[in-house]
């Protein structure tokens, strides 16, 4: 790849110009223009359905300029443009007219429609976020008209209260003045003056701590109590259940080991029973081994991605309203870890005596990205039809394609080549017989679906309380910053998934069913199915989301996230089961 092209790609991802950085040191002199950008507008209860600020008939006294944005900001739906208000540093204003516009009947109808849907606006002043509603709906009870009718008012006056420390902006608060209202109830042209007031106040808060007030929203004592109650509840439940299972499992295994090794000569005269009976079949390679290896590779990559994201979160990279940082990290880390997927899948596939490693690498690369691409294509088409900011521009799609073509794919192929050349054999402590043993008939609760239900319930019960706060942050307007607690929950989730999968694998082998390979992966990943079922509950019982676009985005992208969860936890469960099966069969003497 040409160095200058790679340099431009990096500049675009991280949002810096190759000539002049679009950032600033956030220091200003009296009278300096401090950047105020209008970001987007949208219905309050539909976080994905957002539109450009000037898609509504607002006015501006100066030409509107777009701010250059990084890849993560574009993925986040941010479309920043210069706002109609000018807020110079330490410059106070009183009912200043920003601009004047005569609203046509169509403009009035459009404003009335968005006010009825609780539209809000979002702006950024010196990278500090501010919000406000566009208007309000009031029930007409003055007795002069039908009391069932409503009156629609547009807020045309904003009050900016800005706090500063020496030459830096620390905090900004915007309020809508209820005494400045424009009645848009009737279908007629209206002359509107958009005005604003600016007040400056000094504060002792240092610049380095100006973002802390957004973090404190999720760290209030009553919120922390709920989070810690969630952690304690999960830990107690998990410790009791896993301790109970561990006690039973270890006791049974101990008795099995004693029975199989106590009297070797007597054992030769007796017919083998239980899991030891399967020593000639338990390491028989499974069907569709290329797909299994691909799922293991993709799951391992997603697990590595999750670990890196948690590490960045714990060191403070994802502070509130660091626009697009999480999306940028997801794209970059996923691209850079694709070699792990190729290496893991190819290495394991070759251990299973697979020969077509090229096809295996291709399956690995498309196993997660394929469904994600199809979902994105459909949802991006929906966003384009709605003319929403969630629709990615063509240039951004080209950049993502270049990242996939120039970074993700080469690393995936290199990892696959390295895994193929590893030439390690599958470490099976027992020899596999020539013909597979017939599996006895199983009761209904020992079949795959009931086992998946049992395997997914326990890990889900450890995380379901914390899920509400995550959903309210991702699909709402809450702020989530308690990454330490989330890391503990993730660790509990991984441990419980590994343990419950091992327990179910043992019970499966004890029932003389040697086809544990796919079962362990499906049982490990079944928590993703429970999380998607929780999506249904959250959408209908805990949120007020409506409309085709928001519903499509919620269930479409949550399907991809839960599918990623399935692959990641499936890889965890399979690895744990493989380690367990090797251990127990290595501990006995197999013929």
């Amino acid at each position: 790849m040409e160095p200058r092209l790679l340099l431009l790609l990096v500049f675009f991802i991280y949002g810096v110009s190759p000539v002049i950085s679009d950032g600033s040191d956030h220091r200003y002199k009296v009278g300096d223009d401090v950047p105020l950008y209008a970001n987007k507008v949208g219905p309050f209860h539909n976080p994905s359905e957002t539109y450009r600020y000037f898609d509504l008939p607002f006015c501006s006294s100066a030409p509107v300029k777009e701010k250059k944005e990084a890849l993560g900001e574009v993925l986040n739906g941010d479309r920043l443009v210069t706002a109609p208000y000018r807020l110079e540093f330490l410059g106070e204003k009183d009912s200043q007219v920003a601009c004047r516009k005569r609203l046509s009947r169509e403009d009035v109808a459009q404003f009335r429609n968005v006010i009825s849907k609780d539209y809000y606006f979002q702006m950024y002043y010196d990278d500090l976020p501010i919000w406000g509603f566009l208007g309000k709906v009031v029930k007409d009870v003055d007795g002069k008209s039908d009391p069932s009718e409503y009156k629609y008012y547009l807020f045309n006056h904003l009050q900016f209260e800005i706090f500063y420390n020496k030459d830096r902006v620390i905090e900004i608060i915007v309020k809508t003045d209820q005494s400045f209202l424009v009645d848009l109830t009737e279908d007629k042209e209206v002359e509107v003056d958009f005005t604003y007031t600016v007040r400056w106040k000094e504060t002792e808060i240092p610049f380095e701590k100006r973002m802390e007030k957004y973090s404190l929203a999720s760290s209030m004592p009553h919120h922390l109590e709920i989070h810690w109650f969630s952690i304690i509840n999960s830990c107690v439940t998990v410790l009791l259940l896993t301790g109970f299972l561990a006690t039973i499992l270890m006791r049974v295994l101990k008795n099995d080991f004693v029975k199989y090794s106590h009297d070797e000569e007597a054992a030769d005269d007796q017919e083998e029973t239980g899991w030891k009976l399967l020593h000639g079949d338990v390491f028989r390679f499974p069907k569709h081994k290329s797909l299994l290896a691909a799922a293991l590779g993709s799951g391992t990559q997603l697990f590595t991605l999750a670990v890196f994201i948690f590490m960045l979160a714990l060191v403070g990279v994802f502070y509130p309203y660091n626009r697009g940082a999480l999306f940028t990290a997801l794209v970059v880390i996923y691209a850079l870890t694709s070699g792990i997927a190729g290496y893991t899948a190819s290495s394991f596939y070759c251990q299973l005596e697979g020969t077509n490693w090229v096809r295996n690498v291709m399956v690995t690369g498309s196993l997660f990205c394929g469904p994600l691409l199809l979902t994105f294509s459909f949802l991006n088409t929906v966003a384009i039809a709605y003319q929403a900011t969630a629709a990615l521009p063509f240039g951004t799609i080209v950049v993502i394609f270049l990242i996939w073509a120039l970074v993700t794919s080469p690393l995936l192929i290199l990892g696959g080549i390295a895994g193929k050349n590893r030439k390690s054999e599958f470490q099976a402590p027992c020899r596999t017989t020539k013909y597979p043993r017939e599996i006895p008939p199983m009761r209904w609760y020992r079949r795959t679906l009931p086992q998946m239900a049992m395997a997914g319930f326990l890990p889900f019960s450890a995380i379901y309380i914390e899920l509400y706060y995550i959903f309210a942050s991702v699909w709402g307007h809450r702020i989530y910053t308690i990454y330490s607690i989330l890391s503990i929950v993730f660790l509990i989730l991984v441990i419980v998934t590994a343990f419950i999968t091992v327990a179910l694998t043992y019970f499966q082998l004890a029932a003389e069913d040697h086809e544990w390979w796919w079962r362990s992966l499906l049982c490990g990943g079944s928590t993703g199915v429970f999380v998607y079922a929780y999506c249904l509950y959250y959408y209908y019982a805990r949120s007020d989301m409506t409309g085709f676009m928001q519903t499509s985005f919620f269930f479409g992208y949550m399907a991809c996230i839960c599918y990623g969860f399935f692959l990641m936890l499936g890889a965890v469960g399979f690895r744990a089961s493989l380690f367990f099966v090797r251990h127990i069969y290595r501990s006995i003497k197999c013929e």
Side-chain angles (χ1 to χ4, degrees):
M1 181 179 180
E2 187 180 352
R4 292 199 307 188
L5 180 59
L6 180 60
L7 187 62
L8 287 173
L9 184 62
V10 173
F11 284 144
F12 184 89
I13 293 173
Y14 289 98
V16 295
S17 167
V19 180
I20 300 175
S21 173
D22 62 0
S24 69
D25 59 358
H26 301 281
R27 294 183 183 273
Y28 305 98
K29 298 177 182 178
V30 177
D32 282 354
D33 274 332
V34 184
L36 174 65
Y37 292 103
N39 186 15
K40 52 192 175 184
V41 295
F44 182 77
H45 299 294
N46 290 356
S48 299
E49 187 183 346
T50 54
Y51 305 92
R52 294 175 182 269
Y53 183 80
F54 285 104
D55 283 349
L56 296 180
F58 289 110
C59 62
S60 180
S61 58
V64 177
K65 298 180 181 179
E66 294 188 359
K67 180 183 180 296
K68 182 181 179 181
E69 293 164 325
L71 175 62
E73 294 174 313
V74 178
L75 294 176
N76 195 40
D78 293 336
R79 303 292 187 272
L80 274 67
V81 296
T82 52
Y85 309 100
R86 296 192 64 184
L87 279 61
E88 296 87 358
F89 189 69
L90 297 183
E92 296 202 350
K93 298 181 180 181
D94 191 10
S95 297
Q96 177 78 30
V97 177
C99 58
R100 179 179 291 111
K101 183 172 183 178
R102 185 170 187 83
L103 300 179
S104 65
R105 297 178 62 181
E106 292 76 13
D107 295 338
V108 170
Q110 186 178 5
F111 268 125
R112 192 166 57 236
N113 178 54
V114 300
I115 290 172
S116 67
K117 295 179 180 179
D118 289 331
Y119 265 55
Y120 71 98
F121 67 84
Q122 184 189 50
M123 297 182 181
Y124 282 93
Y125 183 66
D126 194 38
D127 287 339
L128 293 173
I130 50 178
W131 311 264
F133 284 99
L134 299 182
K136 67 176 182 178
V137 182
V138 178
K139 193 168 186 178
D140 188 0
V141 292
D142 58 5
K144 298 180 181 179
S145 59
D146 187 354
S148 63
E149 292 185 358
Y150 293 88
K151 299 184 76 66
Y152 299 85
Y153 294 101
L154 173 69
F155 298 136
N156 67 317
H157 184 83
L158 297 181
Q159 295 178 336
F160 295 98
E161 189 174 0
I162 309 172
F163 296 84
Y164 71 97
N165 187 344
K166 297 179 180 178
D167 58 351
R168 292 176 179 267
V169 177
I170 303 302
E171 183 180 353
I172 180 171
I173 300 173
V174 63
K175 299 178 182 177
T176 51
D177 195 331
Q178 301 292 321
S179 60
F180 289 81
L181 299 173
V182 179
D183 191 349
L184 302 180
T185 305
E186 299 180 9
D187 275 329
K188 64 180 182 179
E189 293 186 354
V190 179
E191 188 83 23
V192 180
D193 287 338
F194 290 93
T195 59
Y196 63 107
T197 299
V198 184
R199 294 287 182 266
W200 288 83
K201 296 182 180 181
E202 192 169 6
T203 181
E204 298 297 325
I205 299 175
F207 178 81
E208 292 74 17
K209 295 184 178 181
R210 70 174 188 161
M211 301 300 292
E212 284 190 357
K213 81 165 194 173
Y214 305 106
S215 303
L216 293 175
S218 62
S219 303
M220 298 295 286
H222 62 283
H223 284 305
L224 282 177
E225 288 178 4
I226 296 175
H227 286 292
W228 281 114
F229 173 77
S230 167
I231 291 292
I232 294 172
N233 173 69
S234 300
C235 288
V236 170
T237 304
V238 166
L239 285 176
L240 288 175
L241 292 176
T242 54
F244 175 71
L245 287 174
T247 302
I248 295 177
L249 201 58
M250 291 300 101
R251 186 171 181 178
V252 170
L253 272 176
K254 183 178 179 181
N255 291 337
D256 286 348
F257 287 140
V258 170
K259 182 177 69 174
Y260 292 144
S261 60
H262 178 67
D263 190 351
E264 188 175 352
E265 292 183 1
D268 290 338
D269 298 331
Q270 297 175 1
E271 184 180 354
E272 295 175 343
T273 58
W275 56 267
K276 187 174 183 290
L277 182 66
L278 304 178
H279 63 80
D281 294 277
V282 70
F283 294 107
R284 188 181 304 279
F285 296 151
K287 299 176 181 178
H288 313 294
K289 53 189 176 184
S290 180
L291 183 59
L292 178 66
L296 182 62
S298 297
T300 304
Q301 179 189 7
L302 294 173
F303 179 80
T304 307
L305 171 65
V307 171
F308 274 110
I309 291 296
F310 277 112
M311 290 172 60
L312 292 176
L314 290 174
V315 299
V317 172
F318 306 129
Y319 59 85
Y321 301 106
N322 182 8
R323 296 190 306 273
L326 178 59
F327 287 102
T328 301
L330 286 171
V331 172
V332 173
I333 296 176
Y334 183 84
L336 295 178
T337 55
S338 58
I340 295 176
Y343 176 82
T344 304
S346 179
S347 173
F348 189 71
Y349 178 67
C350 292
Q351 288 181 24
L352 299 182
E353 299 178 359
T355 55
N356 196 345
W357 68 274
V358 175
R359 186 184 66 177
N360 174 251
V361 171
M362 294 176 61
V363 172
T364 304
S366 59
L367 192 62
F368 179 72
C369 288
L372 181 62
L373 175 62
L374 293 176
T375 304
F376 162 76
S377 300
F378 170 73
L379 296 180
N380 201 58
T381 304
V382 172
I384 292 173
Y386 275 74
Q387 296 182 340
T389 60
L392 294 188
F394 178 74
T396 304
I397 296 175
V398 171
V399 169
I400 294 177
F401 174 78
L402 289 176
I403 294 174
W404 175 81
L406 302 177
V407 180
T408 305
S409 296
L411 288 178
L412 178 72
I413 295 172
L414 289 175
I417 294 173
K420 177 186 75 74
N421 294 334
R422 186 185 173 193
K423 297 186 183 300
S424 61
E425 296 183 358
F426 185 79
Q427 300 174 1
C430 302
R431 291 178 301 180
T432 301
T433 57
K434 186 176 181 180
Y435 299 104
R437 182 182 180 83
E438 184 179 357
I439 300 174
M442 297 291 171
R443 293 182 178 271
W444 66 268
Y445 58 82
R446 289 189 178 275
R447 295 175 183 172
T448 302
L449 289 179
Q451 293 285 295
M452 289 178 63
M454 287 186 280
F457 175 76
L458 183 58
F460 176 78
S461 66
I463 65 171
Y464 81 97
I465 295 179
E466 206 67 22
L467 274 181
Y468 168 75
Y469 292 95
I470 298 173
F471 275 56
S473 175
V474 175
W475 300 106
H477 302 281
R478 284 179 178 265
I479 301 172
Y480 192 97
T481 58
I482 315 177
Y483 299 116
S484 56
I485 291 180
L486 189 60
S487 301
I488 296 174
V489 172
F490 179 73
L491 181 62
I492 293 174
L493 173 66
V494 171
I495 293 174
V496 175
T497 299
F499 187 87
I500 193 68
T501 309
V502 165
L504 290 176
T505 299
Y506 170 77
F507 294 133
Q508 180 183 358
L509 296 178
E512 300 182 7
D513 182 356
H514 55 80
E515 295 181 347
W516 61 272
W517 303 75
W518 276 106
R519 178 78 66 85
S520 62
L521 187 138
L522 294 174
C523 288
S526 59
T527 305
V529 180
F530 277 80
V531 174
Y532 198 70
Y534 180 83
C535 294
L536 297 171
Y537 164 76
Y538 180 84
Y539 181 85
Y540 290 107
R542 304 301 295 270
S543 77
D544 296 311
M545 292 183 280
T546 56
F548 178 74
M549 177 182 169
Q550 182 61 47
T551 303
S552 300
F553 268 68
F554 179 77
F555 287 107
Y557 281 125
M558 283 310 303
C560 293
I561 293 173
C562 293
Y563 176 56
F565 243 72
F566 176 86
L567 292 174
M568 179 184 69
L569 295 178
V572 170
F574 178 80
R575 285 292 188 186
S577 295
L578 179 60
F579 174 82
F580 169 76
V581 173
R582 279 175 172 164
H583 175 74
I584 62 173
Y585 282 95
R586 192 179 289 118
S587 302
I588 63 171
K589 294 181 179 180
C590 301
E591 295 179 358

